[in-house]
């Protein structure tokens, strides 16, 4: 499998340098056609009201936002005029995966991320997408996610003291800011066993998962393996958040 995480990291660093000069100039026929593109939803927040999880995010104005499970069960709501939405999830049990989408008639604009809820919400809650670093929603800490696609390892977390020093199996990793107090780091160590953030050591579980969808307790955290076309997989470790 191509190294999807490396490609994503490279693109994220290049995007600030891109300009409109590389875009094709539309002709009159193109300009006359209305845009058929519908903005998929983007989840950016999570809160709790007792045992109820409340998912928040953005979409198009007045869009019909749906969180859909593989078995067809769904939670739906409508975004406001500014595109903001809030969905209250029913009581959940076990490990649950939702695909966020905007429903347009019988069609849907599906987000690239999957909303992963571990142990009905008593465990981690995160957004996971193939080839991209995962995003933790339930809590923030020094180390929040570790993603591995078989070739590259990407880690992320929060640090209030500037960019942390991240070391993977004794080798210092490249670190950059992810917005706010967030940081991201990357390593090409395919067999990493430990990750150190500002002197705090995290023992990594075996990240070489199989090809099927699995979720299990691994070390001091939860390990999720997601199949990626055509024959690959991505493994995400969601460590227990340290205070």
């Amino acid at each position: 499998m191509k190294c999807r995480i490396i490609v994503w990291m490279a693109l994220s660093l290049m995007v600030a340098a891109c300009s409109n000069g590389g875009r094709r100039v539309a002709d009159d026929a193109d300009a006359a056609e209305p845009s058929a593109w519908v903005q998929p939803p983007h989840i950016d927040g999570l809160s709790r009201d007792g045992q109820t999880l409340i998912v928040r995010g953005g979409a198009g104005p007045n869009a019909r936002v749906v969180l859909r499970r593989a078995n067809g069960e769904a939670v739906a709501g409508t975004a406001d005029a500014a595109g903001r939405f809030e969905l209250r999830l029913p009581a959940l049990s076990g490990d649950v995966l939702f695909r966020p989408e905007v429903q347009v008639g019988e069609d849907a604009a599906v987000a690239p991320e999957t909303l992963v809820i571990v142990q009905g919400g008593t465990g981690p809650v995160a957004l996971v997408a193939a080839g991209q670093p995962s995003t933790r929603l339930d809590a923030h800490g020094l180390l929040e996610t570790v993603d591995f696609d078989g070739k590259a390892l990407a880690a992320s977390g929060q640090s209030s003291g500037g960019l942390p020093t991240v070391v993977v199996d004794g080798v210092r990793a490249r670190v950059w800011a992810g917005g706010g107090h967030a940081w991201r780091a990357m390593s090409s160590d395919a067999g990493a066993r430990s990750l150190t953030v500002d002197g705090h050591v995290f023992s990594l579980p075996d990240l070489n998962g199989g090809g099927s969808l699995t979720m299990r307790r691994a070390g001091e955290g939860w390990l999720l393996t997601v199949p990626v076309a055509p024959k690959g997989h991505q493994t995400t470790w969601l460590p227990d958040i340290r205070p």
Side-chain angles (χ1 to χ4, degrees):
M1 182 184 67
K2 299 287 186 181
C3 191
R4 295 169 180 258
I5 290 180
I6 288 179
V7 172
W8 187 93
M9 298 294 185
L11 290 175
S12 68
L13 294 175
M14 291 171 58
V15 74
C18 293
S19 67
N20 292 336
R23 296 178 182 173
R24 182 177 63 87
V25 178
D27 57 25
D28 293 340
D30 290 334
E33 294 178 0
S35 173
W37 184 79
V38 178
Q39 177 185 348
H42 174 66
I43 296 172
D44 56 23
L46 179 81
S47 60
R48 302 175 188 271
D49 182 5
Q51 299 299 313
T52 300
L53 293 178
I54 304 172
V55 176
R56 296 183 175 86
N62 307 310
R64 181 69 170 173
V65 180
V66 181
L67 299 180
R68 192 177 305 279
R69 299 179 63 174
N71 63 5
E73 295 179 3
V75 178
T78 303
D80 62 21
R84 297 298 300 173
F85 65 84
E86 178 178 296
L87 299 177
R88 299 176 68 90
L89 304 185
L92 302 172
S93 61
D95 304 322
V96 181
L97 277 64
F98 286 103
R99 285 304 297 266
E101 62 183 51
V102 164
Q103 195 170 29
V104 184
E106 296 183 357
D107 298 324
V110 182
E113 306 92 357
T114 297
L115 176 63
V116 177
I117 302 174
V118 179
Q119 294 295 293
T122 60
V125 180
L127 292 173
V128 177
Q132 299 183 22
S134 299
T135 301
R136 195 74 175 259
L137 295 174
D138 61 299
H140 296 299
L142 191 60
L143 179 65
E144 297 177 355
T145 66
V146 177
D147 296 285
F148 181 64
D149 68 355
K151 293 183 179 180
L153 180 147
S156 64
Q158 301 268 341
S159 175
S160 59
L163 291 181
T165 298
V166 178
V167 178
V168 180
D169 280 355
V171 179
R172 188 164 179 170
R174 182 183 181 187
V175 182
W176 65 93
H181 296 301
W183 60 265
R184 298 192 189 280
M186 178 179 155
S187 170
S188 58
D189 188 342
R193 301 303 299 168
S194 70
L195 189 151
T196 304
V197 184
D198 276 349
H200 298 270
V201 179
F202 297 83
S203 296
L204 300 178
D206 182 5
L207 299 176
N208 292 290
S212 60
L213 176 65
T214 59
M215 190 182 305
R216 61 181 176 85
R217 186 74 182 166
E220 297 182 3
W222 293 85
L223 192 68
L224 170 67
T225 300
V226 179
V228 176
K231 295 181 180 181
H233 67 272
Q234 178 169 314
T235 303
T236 298
W237 187 53
L238 303 171
D240 300 333
I241 295 297
R242 297 184 183 180

